[in-house]
Amino acid sequence: MSNRIVVRKCVELAEFEACVQLQREVWGESDLEVEPATGFVVAANTGGQVLGAFHGASLVGYTLALVGVRDGVVYLHSHHTGVHRDYRDLGVGRMLKLFQREEALSRGIRFIQWTFDPLELRNAHFNLNRLGAISRHYKPNLYGITTSPLHRGLATDRLLAEWYLDSPRVIAAINGLSKLVAGKSMGIEVPADLEQWKQSDADRAKRVQDRIRAEFTECFSRGYAAVGFGETPTGAAYLLVPWNDVKLK
């Protein structure tokens, strides 16, 4: 089915409104936490991105990105990427991110960042392994406690993903050729039962979150960067290496 899905820029008000509707379906948040259509309009008209994945006339996925400036350099902050539940595991998210990358590079933008939940293990694999992003910053409870059932009442701790679009690391990752970074490494373990605990044992999930927060904060303060994610005998783990060992040029 993915070969019948087309990714392109959203330009019409009706398309922005379709993004809002899909946002509601994906996150299930209360009205006060939903990004309105006007926010998509502003992003699309001020150098940001509103990208849609379409199956025929139906919007099945979208990405919303805003413009940022740091030290005089323009970058994009990718705020949302959502995919309709009937179109997950079909590569739609990857299609959106690769289109996002190409569109940014076509304008001379070489860096995109976004945040992701360190307890969402599939996202960790996708971001670090398949896209070649890295992370050096941990943001505790960045968005506060939300009404989304996806967050299950937990603090919205987030890792900040850094995507250096034309780096050898990213080019290798998106072509399936990435290799582990050589050098001294550390691991942050995630238990195999975490997904189950998030649904049925919130206290246990919170203890894992608290531990991971402390370990990431300590590792990042020592100059390490998260560069990979993989299975272990007891679950999975983030791989961290010294930032100076990460080759981005």
Side-chain angles (χ1 to χ4, degrees):
M1 183 184 294
S2 61
N3 61 354
R4 291 180 285 169
I5 295 171
V6 175
V7 177
R8 60 172 175 80
K9 293 181 181 180
C10 295
V11 295
E12 304 289 342
L13 182 58
E15 295 171 342
F16 301 141
E17 291 171 344
C19 290
V20 174
Q21 181 56 38
L22 182 54
Q23 175 191 184
R24 292 179 184 276
E25 294 173 9
V26 171
W27 281 278
E29 295 172 317
S30 68
D31 285 347
L32 287 176
E33 294 173 348
V34 172
E35 184 71 42
T38 50
F40 289 81
V41 172
V42 170
N45 285 277
T46 56
Q49 294 171 322
V50 182
L51 311 176
F54 293 86
H55 184 198
S58 299
L59 181 82
V60 300
Y62 79 92
T63 287
L64 167 66
L66 311 173
V67 176
V69 179
R70 183 179 295 124
D71 298 326
V73 177
V74 175
Y75 68 95
L76 293 172
H77 178 83
S78 192
H79 184 39
H80 288 170
T81 294
V83 177
H84 191 281
R85 61 181 177 273
D86 294 339
Y87 289 81
R88 291 169 194 163
D89 300 318
L90 295 176
V92 177
R94 180 174 171 82
M95 292 173 65
L96 283 162
K97 296 305 287 186
L98 295 184
F99 187 96
Q100 180 181 50
R101 173 179 178 270
E102 291 298 326
E103 197 281 334
L105 286 171
S106 74
R107 292 191 279 149
I109 298 173
R110 302 173 60 201
F111 177 74
I112 297 176
Q113 69 174 33
W114 63 90
T115 62
F116 68 98
D117 185 347
L119 301 184
E120 290 292 333
L121 310 188
R122 293 180 66 183
N123 281 351
H125 167 70
F126 178 67
N127 292 330
L128 302 180
N129 298 342
R130 299 202 66 205
L131 295 181
I134 62 98
S135 183
R136 296 179 294 158
H137 303 281
Y138 194 95
K139 306 288 187 180
N141 201 24
L142 181 61
Y143 305 110
I145 304 298
T146 78
T147 59
S148 172
L150 295 180
H151 300 152
R152 299 179 179 89
L154 290 170
T156 50
D157 286 17
R158 295 293 182 264
L159 286 169
L160 181 67
E162 302 176 22
W163 206 22
Y164 296 88
L165 305 183
D166 56 356
S167 67
R169 170 182 168 80
V170 169
I171 293 170
I174 64 178
N175 286 290
L177 302 172
S178 58
K179 299 179 180 179
L180 293 179
V181 177
K184 184 179 178 182
S185 64
M186 300 180 65
I188 293 180
E189 292 278 343
V190 182
D193 294 329
L194 176 60
E195 289 299 325
Q196 178 183 335
W197 296 344
K198 285 163 61 179
Q199 297 180 36
S200 60
D201 194 338
D203 289 341
R204 206 166 188 178
K206 184 180 183 303
R207 288 197 293 272
V208 173
Q209 184 184 61
D210 291 344
R211 173 180 61 79
I212 287 175
R213 179 191 298 150
E215 291 181 8
F216 268 117
T217 300
E218 168 66 15
C219 288
F220 290 159
S221 72
R222 293 170 57 191
Y224 280 76
V227 298
F229 187 82
E231 295 182 356
T232 69
T234 57
Y238 286 89
L239 173 70
L240 296 95
V241 300
W243 168 240
N244 290 336
D245 291 345
V246 181
K247 307 300 183 184
L248 296 174
K249 297 181 180 180

